[in-house]
Amino acid sequence: MTTAYYTHADCKRHEMGSWHPESPERLQAIEDQLIASRINTLLDYREAPAALESDLARVHTADAIYRIRENCPSERSEYDHFPLDGDTSLNAYTWRASLRAAGAAVAATDAVIDAEIENAFCAIRPPGHHATSKEAMGFCMFNNVAVAAKHALEVRGLQRVAIVDFDVHHGNGTEEIFNGDQRVLMVSFFQHPYYPYCGTEHPASNMVNVPVPAHSYGNVIRELVSEQWLPALEAFKPEMIFISAGFDAHREDDMGQLGLVEADYAWITQQIMRVAKTHSHGRIVSCLEGGYNLSALARSVIAHVKILADLE
Ligand SMILES: [Zn+2]
């Protein structure tokens, strides 16, 4: 059984200005490092299909979908941006990239459930975990992981899925979408207080939100994973696990102030793999979220994918 790597060229055409840290170069850095590490040949490369609007509509309001679809500048105005919030904007390719990003997550979900592959990493942008049912925010258009999780539940008939979020920022969109939905368990840690300044006030019983102070290192994160995430995941017995895989908690990433290194991402991935093998037939779909220091991002993704693909 193999690990699939889903991506699409359109995901590199969406950009929000040459100054913006959520840049196309992020995907290029990951691809370069896969080649340098010689693991590119061991993965099953798959082109992401475009999600259907009906896939998005399981999560997002018609208005939220309309706002992205109708406001992208025309392809003739390649450098035009339509602002959604202070740091999130649309260019001519954002709609297409967003469909490919969500489509990768949905296609990977189908391939994993159909046992064509054991698990998958989706190298996609725009990222998704800040996008709520009603609005795009924080570099995110549509909530890729939420769209895929709803597909697993409502189209493929799974009863219980878990979402693991190790991005430095709280996945407020995913929390809003699944708040109180007992078919879903979400476990996360995030720097607090920090953007998007939520996640700590009375979370629902299906949310294991673990805030951590700035300057926490891997030992703190490993302890909370062992003591809070793993018991919750073991008790929930998910039939499939989705990962919101952000790598901006890395020590070299200036976007946040946490101190993880590649070995920590490998260790976290091992713990998730163990739960997936015990309860979920090994089914994991991991989707790229943040990670803005190009070198640290690429090295961390390699560490993560090597564990997923059993190469370590
Ligand atoms: Zn982030």
Side-chain angles (χ1 to χ4, degrees):
M1 289 279 272
T2 53
T3 293
Y5 183 88
Y6 281 85
T7 194
H8 193 278
D10 282 346
C11 292
K12 289 189 203 157
R13 296 190 176 110
H14 157 69
E15 54 81 29
M16 299 184 282
S18 56
W19 55 274
H20 204 293
E22 205 291 277
S23 67
E25 287 75 23
R26 299 175 62 231
L27 296 188
Q28 193 59 54
I30 292 169
E31 282 165 27
D32 290 350
Q33 192 64 36
L34 284 169
I35 294 167
S37 308
R38 299 191 183 146
I39 62 172
N40 59 319
T41 55
L42 304 173
L43 303 174
D44 180 352
Y45 277 68
R46 295 182 172 207
E47 184 163 86
L52 305 173
E53 286 194 42
S54 56
D55 294 324
L56 304 177
R58 283 187 201 97
V59 166
H60 297 286
T61 61
D63 189 52
I65 297 168
Y66 176 90
R67 218 175 308 139
I68 311 285
R69 189 184 59 218
E70 299 303 319
N71 286 316
C72 289
S74 84
E75 281 174 36
R76 284 186 309 261
S77 49
E78 203 169 328
Y79 299 103
D80 270 10
H81 294 93
F82 179 91
L84 294 173
D85 70 21
D87 50 25
T88 310
S89 62
L90 309 174
N91 81 342
Y93 302 97
T94 303
W95 171 248
R96 286 204 254 157
S98 302
L99 292 184
R100 296 291 178 176
V106 170
T109 300
D110 279 333
V112 165
I113 293 174
D114 292 338
E116 286 172 31
I117 52 175
E118 176 157 24
N119 55 38
F121 180 74
C122 301
I124 49 178
R125 20 186 323 278
H129 74 153
H130 295 307
T132 69
S133 58
K134 296 187 194 64
E135 65 182 345
M137 61 177 276
F139 314 168
C140 301
M141 305 300 161
F142 300 122
N143 197 313
N144 307 313
V145 161
V147 168
K150 285 253 182 164
H151 178 79
L153 293 165
E154 294 174 9
V155 179
R156 302 304 307 260
L158 299 196
Q159 312 276 319
R160 291 178 314 283
V161 303
I163 298 173
V164 175
D165 187 328
F166 55 69
D167 192 276
V168 78
H169 303 95
H170 178 49
N172 61 296
T174 316
E175 177 170 22
E176 183 257 350
I177 290 159
F178 293 115
N179 204 35
D181 184 338
Q182 298 304 328
R183 301 172 299 174
V184 178
L185 171 72
M186 180 179 182
V187 302
S188 72
F189 66 79
F190 48 91
Q191 182 176 326
H192 180 78
Y194 197 45
Y195 183 88
Y197 306 101
C198 61
T200 53
E201 302 272 312
H202 313 295
S205 62
N206 65 322
M207 295 286 147
V208 178
N209 298 352
V210 189
V212 293
H215 312 297
S216 298
Y217 279 67
N219 59 326
V220 171
I221 302 301
R222 291 186 192 210
E223 197 175 303
L224 74 84
V225 168
S226 298
E227 291 180 3
Q228 301 191 62
W229 283 14
L230 296 178
L233 288 166
E234 291 286 348
F236 185 69
K237 300 184 172 51
E239 294 169 290
M240 179 159 181
I241 301 178
F242 294 89
I243 306 179
S244 266
F247 298 91
D248 41 9
H250 195 283
R251 194 174 297 182
E252 293 165 33
D253 198 311
D254 295 335
M255 187 68 80
Q257 286 79 43
L258 296 188
L260 297 195
V261 294
E262 294 91 301
D264 296 312
Y265 289 113
W267 183 86
I268 294 169
T269 309
Q270 278 167 343
Q271 308 313 306
I272 302 167
M273 287 277 283
R274 208 159 41 74
V275 175
K277 287 201 164 126
T278 309
H279 299 291
S280 330
H281 308 284
R283 294 166 179 161
I284 297 175
V285 170
S286 176
C287 295
L288 182 66
E289 300 281 1
Y292 304 98
N293 176 304
L294 297 180
S295 170
L297 166 66
R299 287 167 6 233
S300 301
V301 169
I302 300 312
H304 177 60
V305 170
K306 270 187 173 172
I307 301 294
L308 288 178
D310 229 345
L311 301 173
E312 199 71 342

